[in-house]
Short mmCIF file of all heavy atoms in Angstrom, two decimals:
data_model
loop_
_atom_site.label_atom_id
_atom_site.label_comp_id
_atom_site.label_asym_id
_atom_site.label_seq_id
_atom_site.Cartn_x
_atom_site.Cartn_y
_atom_site.Cartn_z
N PRO F 1 48.08 77.05 -28.67
CA PRO F 1 47.76 75.62 -28.76
C PRO F 1 46.26 75.35 -28.92
O PRO F 1 45.88 74.42 -29.62
CB PRO F 1 48.28 75.03 -27.46
CG PRO F 1 49.31 76.00 -26.96
CD PRO F 1 48.90 77.34 -27.52
N LEU F 2 45.41 76.17 -28.29
CA LEU F 2 43.98 75.91 -28.37
C LEU F 2 43.44 76.14 -29.78
O LEU F 2 42.57 75.39 -30.24
CB LEU F 2 43.23 76.78 -27.35
CG LEU F 2 43.57 76.51 -25.88
CD1 LEU F 2 42.80 77.45 -24.98
CD2 LEU F 2 43.32 75.07 -25.52
N SER F 3 43.95 77.14 -30.46
CA SER F 3 43.50 77.36 -31.83
C SER F 3 44.07 76.28 -32.76
O SER F 3 43.42 75.89 -33.73
CB SER F 3 43.88 78.76 -32.33
OG SER F 3 45.28 78.92 -32.35
N ASP F 4 45.27 75.77 -32.44
CA ASP F 4 45.83 74.68 -33.23
C ASP F 4 44.98 73.42 -33.08
O ASP F 4 44.75 72.69 -34.05
CB ASP F 4 47.27 74.37 -32.80
CG ASP F 4 48.24 75.46 -33.20
OD1 ASP F 4 47.91 76.28 -34.08
OD2 ASP F 4 49.34 75.50 -32.61
N LEU F 5 44.49 73.14 -31.85
CA LEU F 5 43.64 71.98 -31.64
C LEU F 5 42.32 72.15 -32.39
O LEU F 5 41.78 71.19 -32.92
CB LEU F 5 43.39 71.76 -30.15
CG LEU F 5 44.61 71.30 -29.35
CD1 LEU F 5 44.26 71.16 -27.88
CD2 LEU F 5 45.16 70.00 -29.89
N TYR F 6 41.80 73.38 -32.42
CA TYR F 6 40.58 73.65 -33.19
C TYR F 6 40.84 73.33 -34.66
O TYR F 6 40.05 72.62 -35.29
CB TYR F 6 40.16 75.11 -33.02
CG TYR F 6 38.85 75.44 -33.70
CD1 TYR F 6 37.69 75.57 -32.96
CD2 TYR F 6 38.75 75.60 -35.08
CE1 TYR F 6 36.46 75.86 -33.57
CE2 TYR F 6 37.55 75.87 -35.70
CZ TYR F 6 36.41 76.00 -34.95
OH TYR F 6 35.21 76.27 -35.55
N SER F 7 41.93 73.84 -35.19
CA SER F 7 42.25 73.63 -36.61
C SER F 7 42.46 72.16 -36.93
O SER F 7 41.98 71.66 -37.96
CB SER F 7 43.50 74.42 -36.99
OG SER F 7 43.28 75.79 -36.85
N LEU F 8 43.17 71.46 -36.06
CA LEU F 8 43.38 70.03 -36.26
C LEU F 8 42.04 69.30 -36.27
O LEU F 8 41.78 68.47 -37.14
CB LEU F 8 44.27 69.46 -35.15
CG LEU F 8 44.39 67.94 -35.12
CD1 LEU F 8 45.06 67.42 -36.38
CD2 LEU F 8 45.15 67.50 -33.87
N SER F 9 41.19 69.63 -35.33
CA SER F 9 39.89 68.96 -35.24
C SER F 9 39.01 69.28 -36.45
O SER F 9 38.31 68.40 -36.95
CB SER F 9 39.19 69.36 -33.95
OG SER F 9 39.95 68.91 -32.85
N ALA F 10 39.05 70.51 -36.91
CA ALA F 10 38.28 70.88 -38.10
C ALA F 10 38.77 70.11 -39.32
O ALA F 10 37.97 69.63 -40.13
CB ALA F 10 38.36 72.38 -38.34
N THR F 11 40.08 69.95 -39.42
CA THR F 11 40.66 69.18 -40.53
C THR F 11 40.25 67.71 -40.43
O THR F 11 39.84 67.10 -41.42
CB THR F 11 42.19 69.31 -40.53
OG1 THR F 11 42.53 70.69 -40.69
CG2 THR F 11 42.82 68.51 -41.66
N LEU F 12 40.35 67.13 -39.23
CA LEU F 12 39.96 65.74 -39.04
C LEU F 12 38.46 65.55 -39.33
O LEU F 12 38.07 64.57 -39.95
CB LEU F 12 40.28 65.28 -37.61
CG LEU F 12 41.77 65.13 -37.29
CD1 LEU F 12 41.96 64.87 -35.80
CD2 LEU F 12 42.38 64.03 -38.13
N TYR F 13 37.65 66.50 -38.88
CA TYR F 13 36.21 66.46 -39.14
C TYR F 13 35.96 66.38 -40.64
O TYR F 13 35.19 65.54 -41.11
CB TYR F 13 35.56 67.70 -38.53
CG TYR F 13 34.05 67.77 -38.66
CD1 TYR F 13 33.24 67.44 -37.58
CD2 TYR F 13 33.43 68.18 -39.83
CE1 TYR F 13 31.86 67.51 -37.67
CE2 TYR F 13 32.05 68.25 -39.94
CZ TYR F 13 31.26 67.91 -38.85
OH TYR F 13 29.90 67.97 -38.93
N HIS F 14 36.63 67.25 -41.38
CA HIS F 14 36.45 67.30 -42.84
C HIS F 14 36.91 65.99 -43.48
O HIS F 14 36.22 65.43 -44.34
CB HIS F 14 37.21 68.48 -43.41
CG HIS F 14 36.90 68.77 -44.84
ND1 HIS F 14 37.44 69.84 -45.49
CD2 HIS F 14 36.12 68.16 -45.76
CE1 HIS F 14 36.99 69.88 -46.74
NE2 HIS F 14 36.19 68.86 -46.92
N LEU F 15 38.07 65.49 -43.07
CA LEU F 15 38.59 64.25 -43.64
C LEU F 15 37.70 63.05 -43.32
O LEU F 15 37.50 62.18 -44.16
CB LEU F 15 40.01 63.99 -43.14
CG LEU F 15 41.09 64.94 -43.65
CD1 LEU F 15 42.40 64.70 -42.89
CD2 LEU F 15 41.29 64.76 -45.14
N MET F 16 37.17 63.02 -42.12
CA MET F 16 36.39 61.87 -41.68
C MET F 16 34.95 61.88 -42.21
O MET F 16 34.36 60.83 -42.42
CB MET F 16 36.40 61.78 -40.16
CG MET F 16 37.79 61.47 -39.61
SD MET F 16 37.97 61.75 -37.84
CE MET F 16 37.00 60.43 -37.18
N THR F 17 34.41 63.06 -42.40
CA THR F 17 33.01 63.16 -42.84
C THR F 17 32.86 63.44 -44.32
O THR F 17 31.80 63.19 -44.90
CB THR F 17 32.26 64.28 -42.08
OG1 THR F 17 32.85 65.54 -42.42
CG2 THR F 17 32.27 64.05 -40.58
N GLY F 18 33.90 64.02 -44.92
CA GLY F 18 33.81 64.45 -46.31
C GLY F 18 33.07 65.76 -46.48
O GLY F 18 32.80 66.21 -47.58
N VAL F 19 32.77 66.41 -45.34
CA VAL F 19 32.03 67.67 -45.34
C VAL F 19 32.82 68.70 -44.52
O VAL F 19 33.20 68.41 -43.38
CB VAL F 19 30.64 67.47 -44.68
CG1 VAL F 19 29.88 68.78 -44.59
CG2 VAL F 19 29.84 66.43 -45.44
N PRO F 20 33.09 69.87 -45.07
CA PRO F 20 33.79 70.88 -44.27
C PRO F 20 32.91 71.32 -43.09
O PRO F 20 31.69 71.47 -43.26
CB PRO F 20 34.06 72.03 -45.23
CG PRO F 20 33.15 71.82 -46.38
CD PRO F 20 32.78 70.37 -46.41
N PRO F 21 33.51 71.51 -41.93
CA PRO F 21 32.70 71.97 -40.80
C PRO F 21 32.22 73.40 -41.01
O PRO F 21 32.87 74.19 -41.71
CB PRO F 21 33.66 71.88 -39.61
CG PRO F 21 35.01 71.97 -40.20
CD PRO F 21 34.91 71.36 -41.57
N THR F 22 31.10 73.72 -40.41
CA THR F 22 30.59 75.09 -40.46
C THR F 22 31.64 76.01 -39.84
O THR F 22 32.22 75.70 -38.81
CB THR F 22 29.28 75.18 -39.65
OG1 THR F 22 28.39 74.17 -40.11
CG2 THR F 22 28.65 76.54 -39.79
N ASP F 23 31.90 77.14 -40.49
CA ASP F 23 32.95 78.03 -39.99
C ASP F 23 32.57 78.64 -38.63
O ASP F 23 31.38 78.75 -38.29
CB ASP F 23 33.28 79.12 -41.01
CG ASP F 23 32.15 80.10 -41.21
OD1 ASP F 23 32.12 81.10 -40.47
OD2 ASP F 23 31.30 79.85 -42.08
N ALA F 24 33.59 78.99 -37.87
CA ALA F 24 33.40 79.47 -36.50
C ALA F 24 32.54 80.73 -36.43
O ALA F 24 31.73 80.89 -35.51
CB ALA F 24 34.75 79.71 -35.83
N LEU F 25 32.69 81.64 -37.38
CA LEU F 25 31.91 82.87 -37.36
C LEU F 25 30.42 82.58 -37.53
O LEU F 25 29.58 83.13 -36.79
CB LEU F 25 32.39 83.85 -38.43
CG LEU F 25 31.69 85.19 -38.48
CD1 LEU F 25 31.80 85.92 -37.14
CD2 LEU F 25 32.26 86.04 -39.60
N THR F 26 30.08 81.72 -38.45
CA THR F 26 28.68 81.34 -38.65
C THR F 26 28.13 80.67 -37.40
O THR F 26 27.01 80.95 -36.97
CB THR F 26 28.54 80.39 -39.86
OG1 THR F 26 29.02 81.07 -41.03
CG2 THR F 26 27.11 79.95 -40.07
N ARG F 27 28.93 79.78 -36.81
CA ARG F 27 28.51 79.11 -35.58
C ARG F 27 28.29 80.11 -34.46
O ARG F 27 27.30 80.05 -33.74
CB ARG F 27 29.55 78.07 -35.17
CG ARG F 27 29.64 76.90 -36.12
CD ARG F 27 30.74 75.94 -35.73
NE ARG F 27 30.48 75.40 -34.41
CZ ARG F 27 31.42 75.01 -33.57
NH1 ARG F 27 32.70 75.11 -33.89
NH2 ARG F 27 31.10 74.52 -32.40
N ALA F 28 29.22 81.05 -34.30
CA ALA F 28 29.12 82.04 -33.23
C ALA F 28 27.89 82.92 -33.41
O ALA F 28 27.18 83.22 -32.43
CB ALA F 28 30.38 82.88 -33.17
N MET F 29 27.62 83.32 -34.63
CA MET F 29 26.45 84.16 -34.89
C MET F 29 25.16 83.41 -34.56
O MET F 29 24.22 83.99 -34.00
CB MET F 29 26.43 84.64 -36.34
CG MET F 29 27.53 85.64 -36.66
SD MET F 29 27.56 87.10 -35.58
CE MET F 29 25.99 87.83 -35.97
N SER F 30 25.11 82.14 -34.86
CA SER F 30 23.92 81.34 -34.54
C SER F 30 23.71 81.29 -33.03
O SER F 30 22.60 81.49 -32.54
CB SER F 30 24.07 79.92 -35.09
OG SER F 30 23.96 79.93 -36.47
N VAL F 31 24.78 81.01 -32.31
CA VAL F 31 24.68 80.91 -30.85
C VAL F 31 24.31 82.26 -30.25
O VAL F 31 23.46 82.33 -29.35
CB VAL F 31 25.99 80.35 -30.26
CG1 VAL F 31 25.99 80.41 -28.75
CG2 VAL F 31 26.20 78.91 -30.73
N LEU F 32 24.91 83.34 -30.75
CA LEU F 32 24.58 84.67 -30.24
C LEU F 32 23.12 85.04 -30.50
O LEU F 32 22.52 85.77 -29.74
CB LEU F 32 25.50 85.73 -30.85
CG LEU F 32 26.92 85.75 -30.32
CD1 LEU F 32 27.78 86.72 -31.15
CD2 LEU F 32 26.95 86.15 -28.86
N ASN F 33 22.58 84.51 -31.58
CA ASN F 33 21.18 84.76 -31.92
C ASN F 33 20.25 83.72 -31.30
O ASN F 33 19.11 83.57 -31.73
CB ASN F 33 20.99 84.82 -33.44
CG ASN F 33 21.58 86.08 -34.02
OD1 ASN F 33 21.38 87.17 -33.49
ND2 ASN F 33 22.31 85.95 -35.11
N GLU F 34 20.77 83.03 -30.30
CA GLU F 34 20.01 82.03 -29.52
C GLU F 34 19.45 80.91 -30.38
O GLU F 34 18.38 80.40 -30.13
CB GLU F 34 18.92 82.72 -28.71
CG GLU F 34 19.47 83.72 -27.72
CD GLU F 34 18.40 84.44 -26.92
OE1 GLU F 34 17.20 84.14 -27.09
OE2 GLU F 34 18.77 85.30 -26.12
N ARG F 35 20.22 80.55 -31.39
CA ARG F 35 19.88 79.39 -32.21
C ARG F 35 20.87 78.27 -31.90
O ARG F 35 21.92 78.50 -31.31
CB ARG F 35 19.93 79.74 -33.70
CG ARG F 35 18.82 80.69 -34.10
CD ARG F 35 18.84 80.92 -35.58
NE ARG F 35 20.13 81.48 -35.97
CZ ARG F 35 20.31 82.44 -36.85
NH1 ARG F 35 19.29 82.97 -37.46
NH2 ARG F 35 21.51 82.89 -37.12
N GLU F 36 20.53 77.08 -32.32
CA GLU F 36 21.38 75.92 -32.09
C GLU F 36 22.67 76.03 -32.89
O GLU F 36 22.69 76.60 -33.99
CB GLU F 36 20.61 74.67 -32.51
CG GLU F 36 21.22 73.39 -32.02
CD GLU F 36 20.33 72.21 -32.30
OE1 GLU F 36 19.11 72.32 -32.11
OE2 GLU F 36 20.85 71.18 -32.74
N ASP F 37 23.76 75.50 -32.35
CA ASP F 37 25.03 75.45 -33.06
C ASP F 37 24.82 74.64 -34.34
O ASP F 37 24.38 73.49 -34.28
CB ASP F 37 26.08 74.79 -32.16
CG ASP F 37 27.48 74.78 -32.76
OD1 ASP F 37 27.63 75.04 -33.97
OD2 ASP F 37 28.43 74.49 -32.01
N PRO F 38 25.13 75.20 -35.51
CA PRO F 38 24.88 74.49 -36.77
C PRO F 38 25.90 73.40 -37.11
O PRO F 38 25.78 72.77 -38.16
CB PRO F 38 24.90 75.60 -37.82
CG PRO F 38 25.79 76.63 -37.25
CD PRO F 38 25.58 76.57 -35.75
N LEU F 39 26.87 73.16 -36.23
CA LEU F 39 27.86 72.11 -36.50
C LEU F 39 27.30 70.77 -36.03
O LEU F 39 27.21 70.52 -34.82
CB LEU F 39 29.17 72.41 -35.77
CG LEU F 39 30.27 71.36 -35.96
CD1 LEU F 39 30.76 71.37 -37.41
CD2 LEU F 39 31.41 71.61 -35.00
N PRO F 40 26.93 69.89 -36.95
CA PRO F 40 26.41 68.59 -36.52
C PRO F 40 27.56 67.72 -36.02
O PRO F 40 28.68 67.78 -36.55
CB PRO F 40 25.79 68.01 -37.79
CG PRO F 40 26.47 68.68 -38.91
CD PRO F 40 26.90 70.04 -38.41
N PRO F 41 27.31 66.90 -35.02
CA PRO F 41 28.34 65.96 -34.57
C PRO F 41 28.79 65.09 -35.75
O PRO F 41 27.98 64.69 -36.60
CB PRO F 41 27.64 65.13 -33.50
CG PRO F 41 26.54 66.02 -33.00
CD PRO F 41 26.10 66.80 -34.22
N ALA F 42 30.08 64.80 -35.78
CA ALA F 42 30.65 64.05 -36.90
C ALA F 42 29.98 62.70 -37.10
O ALA F 42 29.80 62.24 -38.23
CB ALA F 42 32.15 63.87 -36.69
N ASN F 43 29.56 62.06 -36.02
CA ASN F 43 28.95 60.73 -36.15
C ASN F 43 27.53 60.80 -36.72
O ASN F 43 27.00 59.78 -37.14
CB ASN F 43 28.97 59.97 -34.82
CG ASN F 43 28.19 60.65 -33.73
OD1 ASN F 43 28.17 61.87 -33.63
ND2 ASN F 43 27.57 59.87 -32.88
N LEU F 44 26.93 61.97 -36.76
CA LEU F 44 25.64 62.11 -37.43
C LEU F 44 25.81 62.33 -38.93
O LEU F 44 24.92 62.04 -39.71
CB LEU F 44 24.82 63.25 -36.82
CG LEU F 44 24.39 63.06 -35.36
CD1 LEU F 44 23.53 64.23 -34.92
CD2 LEU F 44 23.67 61.75 -35.16
N VAL F 45 26.98 62.84 -39.30
CA VAL F 45 27.29 63.06 -40.72
C VAL F 45 27.79 61.75 -41.34
O VAL F 45 27.43 61.41 -42.46
CB VAL F 45 28.35 64.18 -40.89
CG1 VAL F 45 28.69 64.39 -42.35
CG2 VAL F 45 27.86 65.48 -40.26
N ASN F 46 28.60 61.03 -40.59
CA ASN F 46 29.14 59.74 -41.04
C ASN F 46 28.94 58.74 -39.91
O ASN F 46 29.63 58.80 -38.90
CB ASN F 46 30.62 59.88 -41.40
CG ASN F 46 31.24 58.58 -41.85
OD1 ASN F 46 30.66 57.50 -41.71
ND2 ASN F 46 32.45 58.66 -42.38
N ARG F 47 28.02 57.85 -40.08
CA ARG F 47 27.65 56.88 -39.03
C ARG F 47 28.79 55.92 -38.66
O ARG F 47 28.71 55.25 -37.65
CB ARG F 47 26.43 56.06 -39.47
CG ARG F 47 25.20 56.89 -39.72
CD ARG F 47 24.52 57.22 -38.44
NE ARG F 47 23.30 57.99 -38.72
CZ ARG F 47 22.69 58.69 -37.82
NH1 ARG F 47 23.12 58.72 -36.60
NH2 ARG F 47 21.61 59.36 -38.13
N LYS F 48 29.85 55.88 -39.45
CA LYS F 48 30.99 55.00 -39.14
C LYS F 48 31.90 55.60 -38.08
O LYS F 48 32.77 54.92 -37.54
CB LYS F 48 31.79 54.71 -40.41
CG LYS F 48 31.03 53.89 -41.43
CD LYS F 48 31.87 53.63 -42.65
CE LYS F 48 31.06 52.85 -43.69
NZ LYS F 48 31.84 52.62 -44.91
N ILE F 49 31.72 56.87 -37.78
CA ILE F 49 32.56 57.54 -36.77
C ILE F 49 31.99 57.22 -35.39
O ILE F 49 30.81 57.47 -35.14
CB ILE F 49 32.59 59.06 -37.01
CG1 ILE F 49 33.19 59.36 -38.38
CG2 ILE F 49 33.36 59.77 -35.89
CD1 ILE F 49 33.08 60.81 -38.79
N PRO F 50 32.82 56.68 -34.50
CA PRO F 50 32.33 56.39 -33.15
C PRO F 50 31.91 57.67 -32.42
O PRO F 50 32.49 58.74 -32.62
CB PRO F 50 33.54 55.75 -32.46
CG PRO F 50 34.42 55.26 -33.57
CD PRO F 50 34.19 56.23 -34.70
N ALA F 51 30.89 57.54 -31.59
CA ALA F 51 30.38 58.70 -30.84
C ALA F 51 31.47 59.35 -30.00
O ALA F 51 31.52 60.58 -29.88
CB ALA F 51 29.21 58.28 -29.97
N GLY F 52 32.36 58.56 -29.42
CA GLY F 52 33.44 59.12 -28.60
C GLY F 52 34.39 59.99 -29.41
O GLY F 52 34.85 61.03 -28.93
N VAL F 53 34.68 59.58 -30.62
CA VAL F 53 35.55 60.37 -31.50
C VAL F 53 34.83 61.66 -31.87
O VAL F 53 35.43 62.75 -31.85
CB VAL F 53 35.94 59.57 -32.76
CG1 VAL F 53 36.67 60.45 -33.77
CG2 VAL F 53 36.79 58.37 -32.37
N ALA F 54 33.56 61.57 -32.19
CA ALA F 54 32.78 62.77 -32.53
C ALA F 54 32.76 63.74 -31.36
O ALA F 54 32.86 64.96 -31.55
CB ALA F 54 31.37 62.38 -32.93
N GLU F 55 32.65 63.21 -30.15
CA GLU F 55 32.63 64.07 -28.97
C GLU F 55 33.96 64.79 -28.77
O GLU F 55 33.98 65.98 -28.47
CB GLU F 55 32.31 63.23 -27.73
CG GLU F 55 32.17 64.04 -26.47
CD GLU F 55 31.84 63.20 -25.25
OE1 GLU F 55 31.35 62.07 -25.41
OE2 GLU F 55 32.08 63.68 -24.14
N VAL F 56 35.06 64.09 -28.98
CA VAL F 56 36.38 64.72 -28.86
C VAL F 56 36.52 65.84 -29.89
O VAL F 56 37.00 66.94 -29.57
CB VAL F 56 37.50 63.68 -29.02
CG1 VAL F 56 38.86 64.34 -29.17
CG2 VAL F 56 37.51 62.72 -27.83
N LEU F 57 36.12 65.57 -31.12
CA LEU F 57 36.21 66.60 -32.17
C LEU F 57 35.35 67.81 -31.81
O LEU F 57 35.78 68.96 -31.96
CB LEU F 57 35.78 66.04 -33.52
CG LEU F 57 36.67 64.97 -34.13
CD1 LEU F 57 36.05 64.45 -35.43
CD2 LEU F 57 38.07 65.51 -34.39
N HIS F 58 34.14 67.54 -31.34
CA HIS F 58 33.22 68.63 -31.00
C HIS F 58 33.78 69.49 -29.86
O HIS F 58 33.71 70.72 -29.91
CB HIS F 58 31.85 68.06 -30.65
CG HIS F 58 30.74 69.04 -30.84
ND1 HIS F 58 30.25 69.38 -32.08
CD2 HIS F 58 30.03 69.77 -29.95
CE1 HIS F 58 29.29 70.27 -31.95
NE2 HIS F 58 29.14 70.53 -30.67
N LYS F 59 34.35 68.84 -28.83
CA LYS F 59 34.93 69.59 -27.72
C LYS F 59 36.12 70.42 -28.17
O LYS F 59 36.29 71.55 -27.73
CB LYS F 59 35.35 68.64 -26.59
CG LYS F 59 34.20 68.13 -25.78
CD LYS F 59 34.68 67.26 -24.63
CE LYS F 59 33.50 66.75 -23.83
NZ LYS F 59 33.92 65.90 -22.71
N ALA F 60 36.94 69.85 -29.04
CA ALA F 60 38.11 70.58 -29.52
C ALA F 60 37.73 71.75 -30.43
O ALA F 60 38.52 72.67 -30.63
CB ALA F 60 39.07 69.64 -30.23
N MET F 61 36.51 71.71 -30.98
CA MET F 61 36.03 72.81 -31.81
C MET F 61 35.02 73.68 -31.06
O MET F 61 34.23 74.40 -31.68
CB MET F 61 35.41 72.27 -33.11
CG MET F 61 36.43 71.71 -34.06
SD MET F 61 35.80 71.44 -35.74
CE MET F 61 34.63 70.13 -35.47
N ALA F 62 35.09 73.65 -29.75
CA ALA F 62 34.21 74.50 -28.94
C ALA F 62 34.46 75.97 -29.30
O ALA F 62 35.60 76.39 -29.51
CB ALA F 62 34.46 74.27 -27.46
N LEU F 63 33.39 76.73 -29.38
CA LEU F 63 33.54 78.16 -29.69
C LEU F 63 34.28 78.88 -28.59
O LEU F 63 35.07 79.78 -28.85
CB LEU F 63 32.16 78.77 -29.93
CG LEU F 63 31.45 78.29 -31.19
CD1 LEU F 63 30.02 78.80 -31.23
CD2 LEU F 63 32.21 78.70 -32.43
N ASN F 64 34.03 78.50 -27.36
CA ASN F 64 34.73 79.08 -26.21
C ASN F 64 36.04 78.32 -26.03
O ASN F 64 36.04 77.13 -25.71
CB ASN F 64 33.86 78.96 -24.97
CG ASN F 64 34.49 79.59 -23.75
OD1 ASN F 64 35.70 79.67 -23.63
ND2 ASN F 64 33.65 80.04 -22.83
N ALA F 65 37.16 78.99 -26.26
CA ALA F 65 38.46 78.32 -26.18
C ALA F 65 38.69 77.68 -24.81
O ALA F 65 39.39 76.68 -24.71
CB ALA F 65 39.58 79.31 -26.50
N GLY F 66 38.09 78.21 -23.77
CA GLY F 66 38.25 77.66 -22.44
C GLY F 66 37.59 76.30 -22.26
O GLY F 66 37.88 75.59 -21.30
N HIS F 67 36.74 75.92 -23.21
CA HIS F 67 36.08 74.61 -23.15
C HIS F 67 36.81 73.55 -23.96
O HIS F 67 36.41 72.39 -23.97
CB HIS F 67 34.65 74.72 -23.65
CG HIS F 67 33.79 75.56 -22.77
ND1 HIS F 67 32.61 76.12 -23.21
CD2 HIS F 67 33.92 75.95 -21.48
CE1 HIS F 67 32.07 76.81 -22.22
NE2 HIS F 67 32.85 76.73 -21.17
N ARG F 68 37.88 73.96 -24.65
CA ARG F 68 38.67 73.01 -25.45
C ARG F 68 39.68 72.30 -24.57
O ARG F 68 40.04 72.79 -23.50
CB ARG F 68 39.41 73.76 -26.56
CG ARG F 68 38.49 74.41 -27.55
CD ARG F 68 39.26 75.16 -28.61
NE ARG F 68 38.36 76.10 -29.27
CZ ARG F 68 38.75 77.22 -29.85
NH1 ARG F 68 40.03 77.55 -29.87
NH2 ARG F 68 37.86 78.02 -30.40
N PRO F 69 40.17 71.14 -25.01
CA PRO F 69 41.24 70.47 -24.25
C PRO F 69 42.44 71.41 -24.14
O PRO F 69 42.75 72.16 -25.07
CB PRO F 69 41.59 69.25 -25.11
CG PRO F 69 40.43 69.06 -26.03
CD PRO F 69 39.81 70.41 -26.22
N ALA F 70 43.13 71.35 -23.01
CA ALA F 70 44.24 72.25 -22.77
C ALA F 70 45.49 71.89 -23.57
O ALA F 70 46.38 72.72 -23.76
CB ALA F 70 44.57 72.28 -21.28
N SER F 71 45.56 70.65 -24.03
CA SER F 71 46.74 70.21 -24.78
C SER F 71 46.34 69.04 -25.68
O SER F 71 45.29 68.41 -25.49
CB SER F 71 47.85 69.78 -23.82
OG SER F 71 47.48 68.58 -23.17
N ALA F 72 47.24 68.72 -26.61
CA ALA F 72 47.02 67.57 -27.48
C ALA F 72 47.04 66.27 -26.67
O ALA F 72 46.29 65.34 -26.97
CB ALA F 72 48.06 67.53 -28.58
N ALA F 73 47.89 66.22 -25.64
CA ALA F 73 47.95 65.02 -24.80
C ALA F 73 46.61 64.79 -24.09
O ALA F 73 46.14 63.65 -24.03
CB ALA F 73 49.08 65.16 -23.78
N ILE F 74 46.01 65.85 -23.60
CA ILE F 74 44.71 65.71 -22.94
C ILE F 74 43.65 65.32 -23.97
O ILE F 74 42.80 64.47 -23.70
CB ILE F 74 44.33 67.02 -22.21
CG1 ILE F 74 45.27 67.21 -21.01
CG2 ILE F 74 42.88 67.01 -21.78
CD1 ILE F 74 45.15 68.55 -20.35
N MET F 75 43.73 65.90 -25.15
CA MET F 75 42.77 65.56 -26.20
C MET F 75 42.90 64.09 -26.58
O MET F 75 41.90 63.40 -26.78
CB MET F 75 43.01 66.45 -27.42
CG MET F 75 42.03 66.24 -28.54
SD MET F 75 42.34 67.45 -29.84
CE MET F 75 41.63 66.65 -31.23
N ARG F 76 44.11 63.59 -26.65
CA ARG F 76 44.34 62.19 -27.02
C ARG F 76 43.73 61.24 -26.00
O ARG F 76 43.20 60.20 -26.35
CB ARG F 76 45.83 61.92 -27.17
CG ARG F 76 46.13 60.51 -27.68
CD ARG F 76 47.60 60.25 -27.83
NE ARG F 76 48.15 60.16 -26.49
CZ ARG F 76 49.38 60.50 -26.16
NH1 ARG F 76 50.19 61.00 -27.06
NH2 ARG F 76 49.80 60.39 -24.93
N LYS F 77 43.81 61.60 -24.72
CA LYS F 77 43.25 60.74 -23.66
C LYS F 77 41.75 60.67 -23.79
O LYS F 77 41.12 59.70 -23.57
CB LYS F 77 43.59 61.27 -22.28
CG LYS F 77 45.02 61.04 -21.91
CD LYS F 77 45.28 61.54 -20.51
CE LYS F 77 46.74 61.36 -20.15
NZ LYS F 77 47.03 61.83 -18.83
#
């Protein structure tokens, strides 16, 4: 379920921003090399996206699966 939530969020990110999200491997390599995560919050890419929605997407696309929502119901809340 956690990888499904990641995939759903990545798809929503792409649909809402018009920009594909940075792939997980690139993001992980940046973080491992002590650089900032290259995935910009969705509301910085498209100012029409509410900050709360961008935050939910960002959490669901956390590199550490343990930081993602445990279920779709929790993500929806």
